[in-house]
Every structure is written in structure tokens, then in C-alpha cells.
Amino acid sequence: MTVRALLVAAVVMGLAACSATAPRPTLPPERIASAETEQLAREQALRKQSTWSLQGRIAVANQGKGGSGRIDWQQDGPRYQVALSAPVTRQSWRLSGDDASARLDGIEGGPREGRDAAQLLRETTGWEIPVVALAEWVRGVRAQALGPARVAYGEDGRLARIEQGGWAIDYVWNAAMPAGSALPARLTARRGEAQVRLIIDQWGDGVPE
């Protein structure tokens, strides 16, 4: 079974909670400076915590095609291992690598390797997933490798959006968690017809205290 077929088969599991949310009120201009100071402090602290993991749900779409499933992401510095499974079909695949190489296991025809994870996924599945940048965006941090970014904050002072490298990443936070220490509860990354949605059920090592 191909990677695309695997995930399309899992669409029936649904990600209704990932649906787009209504636009949130933006932060008044006089509060932006303090929000940016807090965000920079978060980013500095999180970059020091380079080992982390998450478990959750993912939905991917590109040019009218897509699918969904469970995701288990483990990050150790630049090295990552991302496993995705479709409970209905009991099929799974695993993407592993670092900044300079990537390997995709569990696909028809055997493992495939490449220098760039995003390119490997694009060639294999047709999907556009910025793996290296997403490893930072998923924690609500600007991707260092992509240069300047535009950010916006919600009325509560939390990060609401990052625009970087042609992508727009919108965030939803757990309101019960303190703004300075929270990690995102869900996010949606979009560029053109490409879209990646994540719901995080559990964060592992590296979560700020």
C-alpha cells in the first residue's frame, strides 16, 4: 500500500476538531511589544530544550488529495523520527533523518532516501510538508533556517500566526495553560493548496515547566 493510499484510508477516522476556526481578535498595538518580548523568551527557552516528542493526529492535503492518521514525532536536536499510522488499515510509515538526510520506510517498493525530507515526501506522496521547519513551528517557534518571519498575536497575548517561507501557520492554545509556558494544542500550516493540520494530544520531553 502506498503512503497516499494509507492516509486516504484513514480519512474516515476524521479530524473534525482540526477544522478552521473563526478569526480571532488581534492584540491591541500597545500590547504587541510585551507579547513579542514574551514570545522571544519562549523561543530562547525552547531552543535550549532540543529533545522533545509529541503524539497526536495529523491531516494532510494538497491539490485536492489528502488523508489523516495518528502521528508520533520524536526530536533529538536536528535528528527526527516521525511515525504515522492508520488505525483502520493497521498500516504505518516512518520518516527519519536530520538536516542533511532523510529516509522513508513502510512504503511500496521499499525504503527511499534523499538529502531533503520535504523533497522526499513531495516525490513519494505528492504532499508538501516542510519537515525541518515544522519541527520548530509545531512548538510555536520561528524557523531559524527560513529567515525573517511575520508574527501576529491574539487578544490574549498568545502567538496566533507565523508567516514564514511562504507558509502561514495558525495556532490554537490550551487556555488553561499559562501563556509563557504553554505549547500549542493544535495548528494549521498552509501554503497555496498545501495544508498540514495537527492536533497534539500529548507533549513529551522538552516541555517547559
Side-chain angles (χ1 to χ4, degrees):
M1 178 175 287
T2 64
V3 175
R4 182 181 290 120
L6 161 65
L7 292 181
V8 171
V11 171
V12 294
M13 296 299 292
L15 277 179
C18 265
S19 59
T21 56
R24 286 164 289 177
T26 57
L27 193 66
E30 63 271 17
R31 294 176 56 197
I32 291 177
S34 61
E36 177 66 8
T37 298
E38 186 170 291
Q39 172 65 15
L40 289 172
R42 281 189 68 257
E43 294 185 4
Q44 184 178 19
L46 286 168
R47 289 192 177 111
K48 292 179 180 179
Q49 299 168 335
S50 59
T51 301
W52 54 268
S53 65
L54 67 80
Q55 292 79 46
R57 289 158 281 170
I58 184 171
V60 183
N62 192 24
Q63 298 180 346
K65 299 178 180 179
S68 60
R70 298 289 308 177
I71 186 171
D72 185 326
W73 188 319
Q74 299 179 29
Q75 190 85 20
D76 184 6
R79 296 199 58 81
Y80 56 83
Q81 181 170 288
V82 183
L84 191 143
S85 61
V88 173
T89 62
R90 298 185 180 180
Q91 298 293 320
S92 63
W93 60 266
R94 183 176 69 254
L95 178 69
S96 57
D98 54 28
D99 293 340
S101 64
R103 175 187 173 99
L104 186 61
D105 291 281
I107 61 174
E108 185 176 358
R112 297 189 186 182
E113 298 183 353
R115 297 184 61 183
D116 180 80
Q119 182 176 346
L120 182 61
L121 286 173
R122 187 184 311 117
E123 294 173 350
T124 306
T125 69
W127 294 329
E128 194 73 34
I129 304 177
V131 179
V132 174
L134 192 59
E136 297 185 86
W137 291 336
V138 74
R139 296 198 294 170
V141 174
R142 285 165 275 209
Q144 291 181 296
L146 292 186
R150 295 178 59 186
V151 298
Y153 300 96
E155 192 175 39
D156 58 0
R158 298 175 193 259
L159 178 68
R161 167 176 281 204
I162 294 176
E163 295 180 5
Q164 191 175 24
W167 288 84
I169 305 93
D170 293 304
Y171 293 91
V172 175
W173 301 82
N174 184 344
M177 294 290 292
S181 63
L183 287 170
R186 65 182 69 168
L187 63 92
T188 302
R190 300 182 180 88
R191 185 173 72 175
E193 295 185 64
Q195 181 170 272
V196 181
R197 294 176 177 173
L198 279 170
I199 293 178
I200 296 89
D201 295 323
Q202 182 177 345
W203 286 100
D205 296 339
V207 178
E209 296 181 352

